[in-house]
Amino acid sequence: MVKSMIKTEGIVLKGMKYQETSKILTIYTKGLGKISVMAKGANRPKSTLIANTQPFSYNEFQLTHGRNFYYISQADIIDSFYEIRENMERVSYGFYILELIDKSVPDEEANKKIFLLLEKTLRILAQTQNNYLKLVAAFGLKHISFLGYRPYINGCVVCGNNQGKGFKFSNTEGGIICDNCYTKDYSAKQMDKEVYQAMGDLLYTPLDELDKLDISEDILTKFHQVLEDYILYNIERKDFNSLNFLKLNKANLD
Ligand SMILES: [Zn+2]
């Protein structure tokens, strides 16, 4: 039987050891979306696939399709993003980005916009010296929008009113709601004007122009909490492991 070869770019999200010498990888690919890949022999000390099968590794893959997995026929590295691993904070935010993709996208459903967003975010993260949260928040907001959950922020998502004094953010309605519409979602949380402003700025500013945005650490942290809750609500998850780790680290540093 001749197996057809599939050629696609992909970024390794995670990997786990399989038996003694192999690895099962989760790879987000441009052409196939999120797939499970068996990397035979990748766990051998002298395997030629070691660099290609690390998290963050961005490759041109040639794959064949088996019964349960894809198999790697060839992998050519495009970028290892080794700079991400050189810095503790960078790598922690990096793992959060990979986990967010892994937990939010459906299996085997290609989405070129999300692939390009991931690639671009990792590229920028690799060169970022500080303000990691701004990049990660912008990434999360754009990603959830590309998944089809762009929050409505041009006015109250229920009645359209944009003259209100105060706003709340509603996960269930998918946007901001005004004081008159509070009965639509009693769990909606109050949102400061600055946080609301930050949301619009992060949504509409391209990733490579984030330097232009001056958002305080405090506002970013508040915004990111709103965003995290909103993302978790939409992807029906309770938490992100890597984010807990980040928070723990931060608490220790403070
Ligand atoms: Zn309203």
Side-chain angles (χ1 to χ4, degrees):
M1 198 179 87
V2 180
K3 285 184 181 166
S4 62
M5 194 74 75
I6 306 151
K7 206 173 175 181
T8 182
E9 291 175 20
I11 293 169
V12 178
L13 302 179
K14 66 179 183 190
M16 60 176 207
K17 195 178 157 188
Y18 178 72
Q19 294 178 340
E20 280 312 298
T21 57
S22 298
K23 278 189 199 173
I24 296 173
L25 309 171
T26 303
I27 303 181
Y28 193 63
T29 65
K30 198 176 196 174
L32 302 163
K34 184 178 72 170
I35 55 171
S36 291
V37 177
M38 175 70 74
K40 284 194 164 176
N43 229 14
R44 286 200 184 101
K46 286 183 180 171
S47 168
T48 53
L49 284 177
I50 286 176
N52 311 92
T53 56
Q54 302 293 322
F56 304 109
S57 183
Y58 173 29
N59 297 270
E60 168 91 42
F61 288 105
Q62 291 194 47
L63 308 165
T64 54
H65 197 195
R67 184 193 276 263
N68 297 311
F69 297 103
Y70 285 88
Y71 294 84
I72 298 177
S73 294
Q74 198 181 321
D76 297 301
I77 212 146
I78 298 170
D79 199 327
S80 65
F81 292 124
Y82 71 92
E83 302 95 335
I84 294 177
R85 268 171 270 190
E86 285 179 331
N87 171 306
M88 182 69 190
E89 232 182 327
R90 222 182 264 159
V91 76
S92 303
Y93 282 107
F95 275 117
Y96 168 63
I97 289 167
L98 298 185
E99 187 187 359
L100 178 49
I101 293 283
D102 182 31
K103 286 191 167 166
S104 60
V105 301
D107 289 338
E108 307 209 12
E109 210 176 290
N111 186 325
K112 213 182 238 177
K113 269 179 137 174
I114 290 179
F115 183 84
L116 294 175
L117 177 71
L118 172 63
E119 192 239 298
K120 194 170 175 185
T121 305
L122 294 180
R123 200 169 289 289
I124 294 172
L125 178 64
Q127 304 303 328
T128 297
Q129 307 294 342
N130 49 34
N131 268 324
Y132 301 102
L133 191 56
K134 186 162 67 176
L135 174 64
V136 166
F139 161 77
L141 187 56
K142 289 172 198 296
H143 173 57
I144 200 74
S145 299
F146 290 161
L147 272 179
Y149 304 109
R150 173 190 285 222
Y152 188 80
I153 57 172
N154 293 337
C156 172
V157 65
V158 180
C159 72
N161 171 24
N162 58 10
Q163 305 298 323
K165 278 179 290 175
F167 280 125
K168 288 182 172 172
F169 190 82
S170 165
N171 290 337
T172 57
E173 299 297 320
I176 52 170
I177 56 174
C178 73
D179 289 343
N180 297 330
C181 298
Y182 73 99
T183 54
K184 282 280 176 186
D185 178 8
Y186 288 108
S187 67
K189 291 194 189 79
Q190 201 66 45
M191 208 177 185
D192 299 355
K193 209 173 170 162
E194 289 88 352
V195 176
Y196 168 70
Q197 184 80 42
M199 192 170 207
D201 288 346
L202 290 168
L203 187 58
Y204 295 114
T205 304
L207 285 181
D208 45 19
E209 291 175 23
L210 288 178
D211 283 346
K212 292 181 187 166
L213 296 181
D214 186 17
I215 307 171
S216 76
E217 186 83 19
D218 178 49
I219 296 300
L220 270 176
T221 305
K222 281 183 184 162
F223 166 68
H224 196 254
Q225 191 58 56
V226 173
L227 178 67
E228 191 196 344
D229 289 347
Y230 180 61
I231 292 174
L232 288 169
Y233 171 81
N234 281 302
I235 66 172
E236 298 177 14
R237 298 268 185 175
K238 281 211 158 59
D239 58 4
F240 294 110
N241 303 331
S242 50
L243 207 57
N244 291 337
F245 175 75
L246 264 175
K247 283 173 186 161
L248 205 69
N249 262 343
K250 215 161 177 79
N252 284 340
L253 287 174
D254 295 345

